[in-house]
Amino acid sequence: MTRLVLFGAPVAIAAAFVSGPGGDGERPADDPALRTRQTTAPDPLKAGSESEQKKQDALIDAMPPGLAAPLKKEMAARLVASAENSTLDWRSLYGAIEYSGNGDGYVAGIIGFCSGTNDMLQLVEHFTKEHPGNPLASYLPALRAVDGTDSREGLGPRFEAAWTKAAEDPAFRTAQDEIRDRIYFDPAVRLAKLDGLSTLGQFIYYDAMVLHGPGLGPEGFYGIREAAMRKADTAAEGGGERAYLTAFLDARRAVMIRQKSEQARDTSRIDTAQRVFLRSGNMDLATPLTWQVYGEAFRITSAQLPGRLTTRPPGSP
């Protein structure tokens, strides 16, 4: 995983987002200046006046729930887990933790919170605010020190054990859900709806937000969206949704190929998953769903909660 999580003042973010090429939006994704320790997730769509925000909120409220519907959100979690961890059982990942070795530091939890990209720090701060005596609280100084780097200084095996222990607490699992939604899921679905996208389009945005982070640079989510919009109009702008999503996936794939990590360069989550759904016209992500990631085939036969989790070897029906 190569992910840049960018945080900053909403007005400044919106200015960079709207301005297009040039300025901060064109800085390389590994620029340390893009990594800050503020704890407000960027949402360019909320940078306007209060009346504009209310109009947007009313517009979204009038739309179908799409990916935010409970069963669709469950499917989205399984799809992401298949690409991130080769499993559909995303609930088994709350206590997962490993040192990535690809520049992001430790990667842990249900969507791979990273010690080097700020979201792990946000998670532990959020959890500690409500539960100050938790096993991870004592590691906050170390997490702040390594934020923006791949260093393990002050962490190591004891931190790994503390993460696993914390994940036994339902409150920590809830905290992971909340931070996932605040940084990745909610902003992605909100923007996709305002771009006029279907449930599939909303998932495509969400998966890109998880892998690339909400960065404004060319390798962040907003940079990828900007590149796609130079090639095709969004559905809200009067363009065809399939043409726009194809442009978005093309832009995202190009970013992945340029990345250093061999795992990050694997584009199967696009080529043999999301493009499969798009080409078949499954804009509602209706089950059954069949796809492949890293050469391994997966199938969701039902979206019931907690659902049937089935994995098939490549080439099987």
Side-chain angles (χ1 to χ4, degrees), residues 5 65 98 176 215 217 226 238 276:
V5 180
E98 64 177 356
Q176 289 194 39
E226 182 181 333
V276 172

Side-chain angles (χ1 to χ4, degrees), residues 68-116:
L71 295 184
K72 298 299 183 182
K73 189 173 183 179
E74 169 71 17
M75 292 172 58
R78 297 185 200 177
L79 287 162
V80 169
S82 73
E84 294 289 312
N85 297 95
S86 296
T87 182
L88 297 182
D89 187 8
W90 64 272
R91 292 178 178 81
S92 68
L93 301 173
Y94 287 107
I97 183 169
E98 64 177 356
Y99 181 72
S100 68
N102 66 3
D104 290 336
Y106 276 105
V107 178
I110 54 173
I111 49 87
F113 299 99
C114 298
S115 61

